[in-house]
Amino acid sequence: MKKIIAILLATATLMGAVFAKSAKGTKVGVSMPTKDLQRWNQDGANMKAELEKAGFVVDLQYAANDIPTQISQIENMITGKCKILVIVAVDGSSLSNVLEQARKKKIQVIAYDRLIMNTKAVSYYATFDNELVGKMQGQYLERALNLKNRTKDDPAYMEFFTGDPGDNNANFFFNGAMKVIKPYLDSGVVVCRSGQTTKAQVATLNWSTEEAQKRMENLITSNKYGPKGTKLDAVLCSNDSTALGATNALVSAGYTAANIPLITGQDCDIANTKNMIKGLQAMNVFKDTRVLAAKVLEMIQAIGEGKKVSVNNTTDYNNNEKNLQDPTSFIPSFLCTPEEVLSDTCYDFLVNNKKYYTAAELK
Ligand code: BGC
């Protein structure tokens, strides 16, 4: 009997080893939107390194922010026998057809950072708490401008920038921020002189720094903003690439660290962190891409080994509006926690505490 048990145990261990090994050799396709923004270079590199360390074979592609390019890269991943796809969509609503091919082949799809809309192919979503990111930006301005104690006789003047219209995240960031700021706009405690306060009016194509800079320049001209001109207290930007554009325009208009409006951001990009150190950007939201990559690796390992994938949100991310009432249509999601970073502590936080950048990188 003992012998039989021993043989059974040995066989089970061997099978376990074989299975673990086979899960390890699995090919994973990682589809990133663009190399133009620091965020995705970092995320792509992190994912590839972590996955290869764990023994996976990785096909990493960048789509130059072009929808057809991303579709054909994903097609190649499917025909190239990837078993799992990790995708940051250029445009969240344009991948339905190509992902239907993946679904037919039972390829598991993880939407990375941005949710992919209108498809049943998404198995999991891994991201940061996107609405919280927006709320944190709004709450920072609420605090810094003392909005709770102001009246409409002494309003704070604010302009708004959010992201690409095709990025579902932009809705969450903008709505999160507006949950905090809108009541003040309604009561006149916050005034937006341009009147541009809807998401469509403040969107930035491709999250482009140049586009944001152009729009800020136009706002400066048409509203006569300037250190000696019309008062502007804050520019609520959903992320760092747009914040950088707004900052460039404001600095060109003569603002310095002593009088520049409070600017918010997200990602702690190097250029923005340098601006924060100089006092040109007030606030940032840190999203540790290493934590997200590690979480996705965990998901992939669980999928590969046929284990339960751990998630912490099954009620907020629906990728097909038609099924809003159907609880099974919410994508099992894992939300990582964003952290607030302020200009006076950002260096210590990012270099010494998080070891996210070296001192040399911020020179
Ligand atoms: C990401 C942000 C990023 C933006 C532009 C969003 O989907 O969540 O972190 O700043 O895309 O790349």
Side-chain angles (χ1 to χ4, degrees):
M1 185 65 182
K2 265 192 191 157
K3 228 182 189 178
I4 294 173
I5 291 176
I7 289 170
L8 279 176
L9 275 176
T11 316
T13 316
L14 195 68
M15 276 175 67
V18 168
F19 190 70
K21 197 161 164 262
S22 72
K24 274 192 176 173
T26 303
K27 195 167 170 193
V28 181
V30 180
S31 171
M32 288 280 153
T34 173
K35 278 197 160 177
D36 289 351
L37 298 180
Q38 185 193 326
R39 167 83 211 264
W40 307 118
N41 284 314
Q42 229 162 258
D43 281 57
N46 261 338
M47 284 293 308
K48 189 166 153 60
E50 290 294 318
L51 283 166
E52 285 178 346
K53 227 193 294 163
F56 291 92
V57 178
V58 181
D59 180 4
L60 169 64
Q61 300 292 335
Y62 287 86
N65 260 337
D66 182 55
I67 299 168
T69 304
Q70 184 163 47
I71 291 173
S72 87
Q73 287 173 342
I74 294 173
E75 261 162 8
N76 289 340
M77 289 171 181
I78 295 171
T79 49
K81 302 218 168 358
C82 287
K83 294 279 175 274
I84 298 169
L85 298 178
V86 179
I87 300 172
V88 183
V90 171
D91 180 303
S93 302
S94 304
L95 299 178
S96 310
N97 290 344
V98 69
L99 290 187
E100 199 44 33
Q101 295 173 36
R103 198 166 80 96
K104 283 189 183 135
K105 295 199 166 169
K106 299 205 164 38
I107 294 171
Q108 302 277 318
V109 176
I110 300 177
Y112 186 97
D113 198 86
R114 299 176 178 169
L115 189 52
I116 307 168
M117 310 303 284
N118 307 327
T119 166
K120 290 189 166 46
V122 178
S123 318
Y124 300 99
Y125 180 35
T127 190
F128 287 84
D129 187 334
N130 295 314
E131 183 174 293
L132 181 58
V133 170
K135 271 194 187 152
M136 286 162 77
Q137 294 165 337
Q139 281 163 349
Y140 163 73
L141 291 179
E142 181 183 53
R143 235 174 39 233
L145 296 169
N146 195 22
L147 298 182
K148 281 185 183 161
N149 300 310
R150 280 172 101 130
T151 64
K152 65 178 180 2
D153 301 328
D154 172 31
Y157 294 94
M158 204 179 285
E159 293 289 347
F160 301 87
F161 284 73
T162 194
D164 188 80
D167 181 353
N168 187 52
N169 284 358
N171 297 319
F172 283 92
F173 302 145
F174 187 69
N175 293 342
M178 276 304 184
K179 274 195 180 156
V180 182
I181 300 298
K182 174 97 179 5
Y184 295 111
L185 279 167
D186 291 345
S187 64
V189 166
V190 169
V191 172
C192 174
R193 288 191 201 267
S194 71
Q196 296 174 10
T197 56
T198 65
K199 200 204 141 211
Q201 288 171 320
V202 307
T204 312
L205 196 66
N206 284 335
W207 295 91
S208 150
T209 297
E210 293 69 30
E211 289 294 319
Q213 182 164 341
K214 266 192 252 158
R215 185 167 160 258
M216 189 71 239
E217 283 164 1
N218 289 338
L219 291 174
I220 291 169
T221 311
S222 46
N223 297 284
K224 303 193 172 46
Y225 291 131
K228 296 197 182 99
T230 316
K231 192 164 171 265
L232 179 62
D233 294 300
V235 184
L236 195 155
C237 298
S238 285
N239 87 330
D240 270 2
S241 57
T242 53
L244 190 60
T247 309
N248 291 344
L250 291 164
V251 168
S252 295
Y255 286 100
T256 64
N259 52 27
I260 196 160
L262 300 173
I263 298 171
T264 64
Q266 137 177 227
D267 295 331
C268 292
D269 284 352
I270 289 185
N272 298 70
T273 306
K274 285 181 178 171
N275 275 346
M276 288 179 81
I277 293 166
K278 286 191 224 152
L280 293 173
Q281 181 175 325
M283 183 266 186
N284 217 315
V285 179
F286 177 61
K287 303 197 302 188
D288 195 332
T289 53
R290 300 165 302 186
V291 172
L292 185 58
K295 188 66 220 170
V296 172
L297 175 66
E298 225 179 276
M299 283 182 164
I300 290 174
Q301 278 173 323
I303 293 170
E305 290 166 14
K307 290 187 186 145
K308 198 169 181 302
V309 174
S310 92
V311 295
N312 62 9
N313 184 297
T314 52
T315 53
D316 286 334
Y317 292 91
N318 175 298
N319 75 343
N320 185 345
E321 289 154 35
K322 289 182 210 129
N323 293 334
L324 267 178
Q325 305 310 324
D326 173 6
T328 59
S329 69
F330 288 90
I331 310 281
S333 305
F334 193 94
L335 309 189
C336 304
T337 310
E339 293 169 79
E340 183 186 81
V341 186
L342 301 180
S343 53
D344 51 347
T345 48
C346 70
Y347 184 90
D348 194 43
F349 179 80
L350 292 168
V351 177
N352 302 327
N353 178 350
K354 294 285 176 184
K355 309 223 178 318
Y356 200 68
Y357 294 130
T358 62
E361 284 173 308
L362 296 181
K363 279 255 159 64

